[in-house]
Amino acid sequence: MRLVILTQDDPFYLARNIDYLLKKLPPYAEVVATVVFDVSPFGKRESFKDKIKKTYDIFGLPFFLRYGFKFVSSKLDSRNNVRKVLADRGIPLIQIEGNINKDENLEKIRAYKPDLLVSIAGNQIFKRKLLDVATYGCINLHTALLPKYRGLMPSFWVLKNGESHTGVSVFFVDEGIDSGPILVQNKLEIGGMSQAALIDVTKKMGMDAILESIDKIHSGKYELIENDAAQMTYFTFPTRNDVKEFLAAGKRFY
């Protein structure tokens, strides 16, 4: 099975998790190429200066300093570099220009004859022409129990809303947002975890769920779980007031 991974250049969590995924891939699966988007933690493209200001304004000084230090130290550690992890394994990087759905970009991906596209923090909207490039379409990891908590930063929202459990969902991508039929869904008790701990745990769970999904697609033996739009909740990026309520409820970022 020929896989093309669609991801982003996140310096915090993705490199080591993608490395874990690559180590655990079954013999019949091969990552033949990758697309690495520019990082966009706020769900849209912004200048680095705007990202810094927005982080400070929304999350406050202690968070800003802690994650600023973590960002710099991660950039200095090659183990946190997505592109280097891929390069070390000899996996080609597909250079795209602008939106991935442009015909010229689709041709570049199509040249690798993918059986399956695997989106891990892919941060562009995927259109039907892209989804049809691969034989089995595209799967995506979402670190929440869909159809609840579609959208951005589910780890923040499940904590803020006092949920006792969360989890991970791997679904077939359609042209909506986190709306496709679910292939694998695994549940997790939150307990007293901070947001940082929850992200760590769910990212690792997510890699295992992707591996489980690849195996099911390869075997052809699976039953899809409905991603019921009537039960969905959707969340965008938090505001400063949301962060104040998060902290007032005794929740922790780290």
Side-chain angles (χ1 to χ4, degrees), residues 96-115:
I96 66 169
E97 297 292 333
N99 192 290
I100 193 173
N101 299 287
K102 292 166 61 176
D103 288 340
E104 54 265 41
N105 292 329
L106 298 182
E107 284 304 311
K108 291 178 181 179
I109 298 170
R110 193 175 286 115
Y112 287 92
K113 300 179 180 178
D115 295 305

Side-chain angles (χ1 to χ4, degrees), residues 8 14 17 24 29 58 80 83 99 101 118 120 141 147-148 165 168 170 181 192 195 199 214 232-233:
Q8 63 173 287
L14 286 183
N17 282 293
K24 295 287 187 177
I58 292 174
N80 294 312
R83 285 183 170 88
N99 192 290
N101 299 287
V118 180
I120 306 171
L141 169 65
K148 304 293 186 184
H165 291 79
V168 298
V170 176
Q195 188 198 17
I199 293 172
I214 291 169
M232 65 90 79
T233 56

